[in-house]
Amino acid sequence: MLYKEAITMATFPSSDWTRKSGDIFEAARRGPVTITQRKRPAFVVMTVDEFQRLTATDTRRHYTIDTLPDELFAKAEAEIARLKREHEE
């Protein structure tokens, strides 16, 4: 899963890893942190909670009209009929 909105990330050069690890970890508590090598993004540091959120399995299902279960098809038809009635009033 990718971020859908733009996120401003704190950025630190890899040379700061040992000297400023406390600052890097503090920034990572607020959001993902980019670690650069030779002025290019190389790594991202983030909290475990954020990592788990990003890597969680998406349980949503998708169907085509041909594979839609009858129960869901009936619900969709009922909702369309309700909306038509509402619009006609």
Side-chain angles (χ1 to χ4, degrees):
M1 173 184 222
L2 299 175
Y3 281 103
K4 302 221 188 267
E5 67 269 354
I7 293 180
T8 303
M9 288 199 276
T11 302
F12 292 87
S14 60
S15 59
D16 283 353
W17 186 253
T18 54
R19 290 191 329 267
K20 295 185 177 180
S21 61
D23 293 341
I24 293 170
F25 293 151
E26 185 57 37
R29 284 185 186 89
R30 292 188 301 273
V33 175
T34 302
I35 305 296
T36 61
Q37 287 184 322
R38 296 179 204 91
K39 298 184 181 183
R40 296 178 56 122
F43 303 97
V44 175
V45 178
M46 65 183 73
T47 63
V48 170
D49 288 343
E50 181 69 2
F51 177 76
Q52 289 172 340
R53 185 186 71 77
L54 290 172
T55 59
T57 302
D58 187 354
T59 59
R60 295 177 294 182
R61 311 248 4 227
H62 65 278
Y63 302 99
T64 65
I65 196 69
D66 296 326
T67 62
L68 187 65
D70 291 341
E71 177 185 319
L72 293 178
F73 188 79
K75 285 182 180 182
E77 281 186 316
E79 183 63 14
I80 291 168
R82 184 189 69 77
L83 291 170
K84 281 183 179 179
R85 286 191 306 274
E86 198 174 273
H87 181 68
E88 290 171 355
E89 295 173 358

